[in-house]
Amino acid sequence: MNIKDFSEVTSLSPHTLRYYEKIGLLLNIQRNPSGHRVYTSRDLEWAQFIVRLKDTGMPLDNILEYAQLRNLGDSTLAERQTLLEAHRCNLRRRIDDELLHLKALDKKIDYYKNQKSP
């Protein structure tokens, strides 16, 4: 898959994909004889996981740390698990906070709905 198609599938701009490659988030991207990037299904799976981590609020530095551990192989499974568990804990905390905000908004909306117009 070329960079344009890969960009569309992942919702990451070509600029972002090149940046991720530069900082080490995307490694060993194949090149065709003309030198253009050729992405594989494995690259797609990894990029989608990066997007999921970003969308759930993991800082880029932590994603990069996870990527570096991933590139070191199975000897880093425990460290990667620890990173993901910490992220899950932060995500759950944020979800709980958002649910409290939602309840407060619902309460205010109900208040307005129940007010009689003069």
Side-chain angles (χ1 to χ4, degrees):
M1 182 178 329
N2 66 29
I3 196 166
K4 180 179 181 259
D5 295 335
F6 195 74
S7 172
E8 289 173 7
V9 172
T10 60
S11 299
L12 296 169
S13 71
H15 174 77
T16 298
L17 292 170
R18 288 188 290 271
Y19 174 70
Y20 283 178
E21 191 174 345
K22 179 181 175 182
I23 65 170
L25 272 182
L26 294 172
L27 292 178
N28 304 318
I29 302 302
Q30 301 296 314
R31 301 279 182 148
N32 67 16
S34 326
H36 296 106
R37 290 168 179 83
V38 178
Y39 296 92
T40 65
S41 58
R42 188 165 188 247
D43 298 325
L44 177 59
E45 185 179 318
W46 173 235
Q48 288 171 330
F49 191 63
I50 291 170
V51 169
R52 181 170 309 279
L53 293 175
K54 283 185 58 195
D55 287 350
T56 56
M58 182 180 270
L60 191 56
D61 286 344
N62 292 34
I63 298 171
L64 189 53
E65 180 182 357
Y66 181 89
Q68 290 166 343
L69 290 169
R70 177 180 178 260
N71 292 330
L72 292 174
D74 287 349
S75 64
T76 66
L77 290 174
E79 292 93 340
R80 287 185 271 163
Q81 179 180 344
T82 299
L83 274 173
L84 292 179
E85 287 173 345
H87 179 61
R88 179 179 60 189
C89 183
N90 290 334
L91 179 58
R92 281 191 174 149
R93 196 172 311 125
R94 281 189 23 243
I95 289 169
D96 289 343
D97 288 346
E98 293 294 327
L99 287 171
L100 287 173
H101 297 316
L102 182 60
K103 279 184 179 181
L105 284 173
D106 286 342
K107 185 176 177 181
K108 184 58 82 175
I109 290 167
D110 286 343
Y111 170 80
Y112 289 131
K113 284 182 180 177
N114 293 320
Q115 294 301 306
K116 299 200 188 241
S117 9

